[in-house]
């Protein structure tokens, strides 16, 4: 589950100003003026692929059901350390409204998984499992390892995977500070990562550094809410400057990073989406 503890989020007005600046300065979402063949192909074949997947109707039906769910569940909030900061009751619908990635981003992750065919995927921040379902169904031959801090939320996600008939997901329940190192110590090689679990600078950079140790040479990293706060913008800049990062794509609400050493020159793109 997401944690914003001790993070000052930008106000709606600040975010709108930042989005306007991004929109004015970003490259066209049609690929005009993009000189990188790889990025042009990404825009044409993945970003702008509008074909409908019949399987997505079930995911969106579940999203709509969750948004209307009035049940109250106990949710533990994990902060910077490994202990629980607070535990409180929250309405499922309210949580779904703030924690679920919008359909267009979930569908983009699905298309990326379908295009790159990652054998092993990692998601930090399962929430109710809708984005997990999109990613896992993008490559049914691969496997998604997803991590959720709150037991009550993790149990609901498991129920959703069963109901949707998705079998290539393994869910790790508990504080990331405990569960992620155990997973990484099992020497899993990772091909695709979506980090959506702790929207603060230090944990984001730590997760990236830890996951890099198990990353395949062509591993793709996707970071959520890269412009949500000063901390997340600082983390995104540091990630872009990392020695192993050869290509980054800023879509404002998410950032995509490629570490493939076949890219000889470090390049950063902002693209409208």
């Amino acid at each position: 589950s997401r944690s914003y503890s001790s993070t000052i989020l930008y106000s709606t007005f600040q975010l709108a100003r930042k989005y306007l600046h991004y929109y004015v300065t970003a490259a066209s979402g049609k690929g005009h003026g993009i000189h990188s063949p790889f990025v042009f192909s990404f825009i044409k074949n993945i970003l702008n692929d509008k074909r409908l997947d019949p399987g997505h109707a079930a995911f969106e039906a579940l999203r709509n059901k969750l948004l209307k769910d009035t049940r109250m569940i106990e949710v533990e909030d994990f902060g910077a350390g490994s202990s629980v900061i607070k535990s409180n009751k929250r309405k499922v619908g309210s949580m779904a409204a703030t924690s679920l990635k919008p359909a267009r981003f979930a569908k983009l992750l699905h298309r990326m998984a379908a295009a790159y065919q990652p054998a092993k995927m990692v998601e930090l921040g399962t929430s109710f499992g809708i984005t997990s379902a999109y990613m896992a169904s993008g490559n049914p031959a691969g496997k998604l390892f997803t991590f959720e801090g709150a037991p009550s939320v993790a149990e609901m996600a498991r129920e959703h995977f069963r109901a949707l008939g998705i079998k290539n997901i393994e869910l790790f329940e508990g504080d990331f500070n405990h569960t992620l190192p155990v997973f990484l110590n099992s020497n899993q090689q990772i091909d695709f990562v979506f980090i959506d679990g702790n929207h603060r600078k230090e944990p984001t950079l730590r997760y990236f550094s830890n996951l890099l140790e198990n990353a395949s040479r062509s591993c793709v990293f996707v970071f959520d809410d890269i412009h949500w706060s000063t901390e997340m913008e600082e983390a995104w800049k540091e990630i872009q400057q990392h020695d192993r990062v050869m290509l980054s794509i800023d879509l404002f609400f998410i950032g995509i990073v490629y570490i493939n050493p076949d890219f000889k020159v470090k390049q950063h793109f902002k693209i409208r989406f």
Side-chain angles (χ1 to χ4, degrees):
S1 59
R2 294 180 175 198
S3 175
Y4 298 105
S5 304
S6 74
T7 298
I8 299 173
L9 304 180
Y10 287 132
S11 67
T12 304
F13 177 71
Q14 287 173 309
L15 207 56
R17 282 183 59 185
K18 285 184 173 291
Y19 183 81
L20 182 62
H21 180 262
Y22 148 83
Y23 191 85
V24 170
T25 57
S28 161
K30 302 297 181 184
H32 305 310
I34 297 289
H35 300 297
S36 162
F38 180 87
V39 176
F40 183 82
S41 175
F42 169 81
I43 294 170
K44 181 182 177 184
N45 300 315
I46 301 177
L47 198 65
N48 290 328
D49 182 357
K50 298 298 191 289
R51 286 174 296 178
L52 295 175
D53 186 318
H56 293 172
F59 303 162
E60 290 310 303
L62 175 58
R63 181 197 302 275
N64 292 332
K65 183 180 175 184
L66 285 165
L67 289 169
K68 297 171 184 172
D69 195 327
T70 57
R71 285 178 296 169
M72 303 293 288
I73 59 171
E74 193 80 23
V75 179
E76 296 171 339
D77 185 17
F78 293 94
S82 58
S83 59
V84 177
I85 284 187
K86 60 179 182 283
S87 182
N88 54 34
K89 288 189 179 296
R90 299 182 201 170
K91 187 189 289 185
V92 170
S94 300
M95 290 179 63
T98 57
S99 70
L100 298 178
K101 287 306 295 174
R104 67 188 189 119
F105 290 105
K107 290 177 180 179
L108 175 59
L109 289 165
H110 172 91
R111 295 195 297 269
M112 290 176 72
Y116 301 143
Q117 292 289 289
K120 290 182 180 174
M121 300 171 274
V122 167
E123 176 188 38
L124 295 186
T126 314
S127 184
F128 296 114
I130 291 181
T131 305
S132 319
Y134 272 105
M135 288 172 61
S137 64
N139 181 22
K143 185 163 185 180
L144 173 66
F145 302 92
T146 186
F147 295 76
E148 172 55 45
S152 56
V153 178
E155 185 50 42
M156 288 185 69
R158 288 191 188 97
E159 289 174 13
H160 297 154
F161 300 150
R162 285 193 289 269
L164 293 167
I166 298 175
K167 303 185 188 305
N168 60 326
I169 298 178
E170 184 174 344
L171 193 154
F172 292 83
E173 177 187 311
D175 185 356
F176 297 170
N177 293 311
H178 299 152
T179 56
L180 185 59
V182 171
F183 169 78
L184 294 174
N185 286 339
S186 66
N187 296 314
Q188 301 275 8
Q189 181 172 278
I190 302 161
D191 307 297
F192 193 93
V193 177
F194 178 43
I195 296 181
D196 181 28
N198 193 324
H199 290 54
R200 290 176 299 143
K201 180 180 179 180
E202 187 277 327
T204 298
L205 292 174
R206 175 159 39 87
Y207 300 150
F208 177 54
S209 177
N210 292 344
L211 286 157
L212 261 180
E213 294 179 19
N214 289 51
S216 64
R217 70 191 306 275
S218 59
C219 186
V220 180
F221 287 81
V222 182
F223 296 88
D224 188 45
D225 288 341
I226 57 173
H227 294 289
W228 216 240
S229 65
T230 304
E231 277 198 36
M232 285 304 294
E233 288 193 321
E234 289 172 357
W236 175 241
K237 285 176 184 172
E238 283 196 33
I239 289 162
Q240 287 180 306
Q241 292 161 8
H242 193 283
D243 289 344
R244 289 186 64 187
V245 171
M246 299 307 297
L247 173 67
S248 73
I249 298 175
D250 181 342
L251 300 178
F252 191 77
F253 292 103
I254 65 171
I256 304 168
V257 158
Y258 298 83
I259 63 170
N260 195 327
D262 290 345
F263 298 117
K264 302 301 182 189
V265 180
K266 190 185 273 281
Q267 288 184 290
H268 305 300
F269 294 87
K270 279 197 290 185
I271 299 167
R272 290 179 198 158
F273 177 56

